[in-house]
Amino acid sequence: MPKGEGKVLAQNKKARHDYFIEETYEAGLVLLGTEIKAIRAGRVNLKDSFARIRNGELFVHNMHISPYEQGNIHNHEPLRTRKLLLHRKQINTLIGETKEAGYSIVPLKLYLKDGYAKLVIGLARGKKKYDKREDLKQKEAKRDMDRAFRDRQKG
């Protein structure tokens, strides 16, 4: 199955607006029981999350998973740091790339694949303000062309 296939539960749309995504990786997550239940219920938010490499391991920070409603006193903390599972070669590649200035690791989307929660992370380079404006212009031009084409088809 290609990356990103399965039931998409959360997307970080702002990431594609704020960053150029150079490369993507599919990572597994180390989760607690109440966390996976909350994720299956769709109670997850990737908005301000980011990934960081520490001691040769990859961790995701600020990923908000709401507490599970039927959880008991052993419910998880919503913003805890969670470990990501990648192959050693992939982690080494990410270490090398993030040492370069301007590169960071950003979570793009979370989905279920074969019963497991998977997170697509992207190696990202920050956009400048003029890059964002250019993207908006291109998006608007495409929308106008599609609208004109659609109107022409009707008439």
Side-chain angles (χ1 to χ4, degrees):
M1 218 184 244
K3 284 185 270 194
E5 270 192 34
K7 185 181 176 201
V8 176
L9 300 168
Q11 276 191 314
N12 190 354
K13 293 178 182 169
K14 196 139 179 74
R16 295 206 185 267
H17 181 262
D18 290 341
Y19 299 97
F20 292 113
I21 307 300
E22 307 283 319
E23 201 171 342
T24 60
Y25 298 93
E26 180 184 72
L29 286 149
V30 176
L31 298 170
L32 300 174
T34 54
E35 286 177 328
I36 188 63
K37 288 180 178 186
I39 286 173
R40 284 197 174 112
R43 314 222 353 114
V44 62
N45 188 351
L46 296 175
K47 200 168 205 169
D48 294 322
S49 58
F50 60 95
R52 212 177 249 159
I53 299 171
R54 190 173 54 222
N55 298 332
E57 295 179 328
L58 192 62
F59 293 92
V60 66
H61 300 268
N62 280 358
M63 184 170 82
H64 188 276
I65 300 176
S66 298
Y68 185 57
E69 285 94 29
Q70 284 81 38
N72 54 13
I73 58 167
H74 301 295
N75 223 335
H76 65 275
E77 188 168 324
L79 286 175
R80 81 177 183 92
T81 302
R82 295 166 182 91
K83 186 176 175 181
L84 295 178
L85 305 172
L86 279 175
H87 293 284
R88 172 59 50 201
K89 273 185 179 177
Q90 293 174 323
I91 292 175
N92 289 340
T93 305
L94 285 172
I95 289 171
E97 294 283 351
T98 53
K99 285 210 188 312
E100 288 183 40
Y103 280 98
S104 55
I105 305 167
V106 182
L108 300 174
K109 69 175 148 185
L110 181 79
Y111 60 94
L112 290 176
K113 177 179 170 183
D114 300 328
Y116 293 103
K118 299 288 184 178
L119 185 68
V120 174
I121 56 172
L123 184 65
R125 189 169 38 91
K127 283 185 181 178
K128 303 280 190 253
K129 204 166 199 166
Y130 56 83
D131 291 328
K132 293 178 190 178
R133 281 194 219 113
E134 190 62 38
D135 281 354
L136 284 174
K137 282 180 192 172
Q138 288 176 355
K139 195 184 254 185
E140 204 169 293
K142 185 182 183 318
R143 193 179 312 125
D144 290 342
M145 286 188 331
D146 289 344
R147 189 180 299 128
F149 184 72
R150 194 174 53 242
D151 292 344
R152 199 169 180 194
Q153 291 290 324
K154 286 181 182 176

